[in-house]
Structures are given as structure tokens and as C-alpha cells.
Amino acid sequence: QVQLVESGGGSVQAGGSLRLSCAASGSTSSSNCMMWFRQAPGKVREGVASIYIGPGRTSYADSVKDRFAISRDNAKNTVYLQMNTLKPEDSAVYYCAAGRCGGWFPSLAQTLVNVWGQGTQVTVSS
């Protein structure tokens, strides 16, 4: 069973940047994509970005497109989420997830997730 450990969260002022990391350990053979989700207090968890482990194709939520970038280092079994031009509304707990995606571009659907990380807090102040 794969385990996912996120790191890199913290507090930043609006307009700043953070990079989240998600290190995977164990077998990832049941997953072909990695995803980032976030959940703010009182809101539903939403998909932020996803990437196919092999081909590297990506998908983004409209709210983060052109500001966030997901990438992977397969040699290190690590996925990254570079977050730029952060806004207060980006504040949330960010979760890394592994899943089985289909389609040309990887999905952001929670129903495809088979493993979740524990989450890391991101706080953006105005």
C-alpha cells in the first residue's frame, strides 16, 4: 500500500509563493496519476491539479490555472505543486492523492482516488 506524505505548507502573504511536495513510498502500481486537492473550512474538498505519472499530462482547476504548476520526479517518487501569486482564497488544507485516472488529460475527480495523504495547511494573508 502506497503512503503519501506532504510537506511545504505554511503561511505566506498574498502574492507570495509556496511549493508543496508529496513523497510516495510503497508500491504505486495501482495508481497512474497524482492529484492535489484542497479543503477550506466550511467548504467541500476540491480538485486543484493532477498529473499522469507516466506521460506527464496535467489538468488544473480554473481557479488556479496559470498560477499553480504540478510536476513530478519519478526517480524520487515525488510530486510537487508550485503555487505562485497566492491569494487569501487559496488558504486551505492541501491533500496529495494517488488515483487511477482515465482520459487524455488526468481527472480531478475524488472518486478516482485510492490513497490520500494527511494534508498540509496553507494560509495566505492579505
Side-chain angles (χ1 to χ4, degrees):
Q1 177 77 343
V2 64
Q3 289 186 318
L4 305 175
V5 178
E6 301 99 331
S7 61
S11 297
V12 65
Q13 288 192 327
S17 299
L18 282 173
R19 188 176 81 156
L20 305 182
S21 299
C22 174
S25 60
S27 174
T28 59
S29 59
S30 62
S31 303
N32 68 350
C33 65
M34 298 294 293
M35 295 172 269
W36 286 97
F37 292 84
R38 66 186 181 185
Q39 187 168 20
K43 295 189 176 181
V44 299
R45 189 176 298 185
E46 62 173 348
V48 175
S50 61
I51 186 168
Y52 274 122
I53 295 173
R57 287 189 295 271
T58 59
S59 296
Y60 296 93
D62 288 343
S63 58
V64 306
K65 202 171 293 183
D66 298 327
R67 298 189 298 122
F68 290 12
I70 188 171
S71 61
R72 85 267 190 258
D73 184 333
N74 291 341
K76 295 182 179 180
N77 282 341
T78 301
V79 174
Y80 305 96
L81 184 68
Q82 177 67 43
M83 305 184 294
N84 299 324
T85 320
L86 282 161
K87 304 175 181 181
E89 51 264 42
D90 293 319
S91 297
V93 177
Y94 283 71
Y95 298 91
C96 177
R100 196 76 189 170
C101 296
W104 182 254
F105 292 103
S107 172
L108 290 170
Q110 297 185 52
T111 54
L112 300 176
V113 172
N114 47 45
V115 181
W116 289 95
Q118 83 286 354
T120 186
Q121 177 71 45
V122 171
T123 302
V124 185
S125 58
S126 58

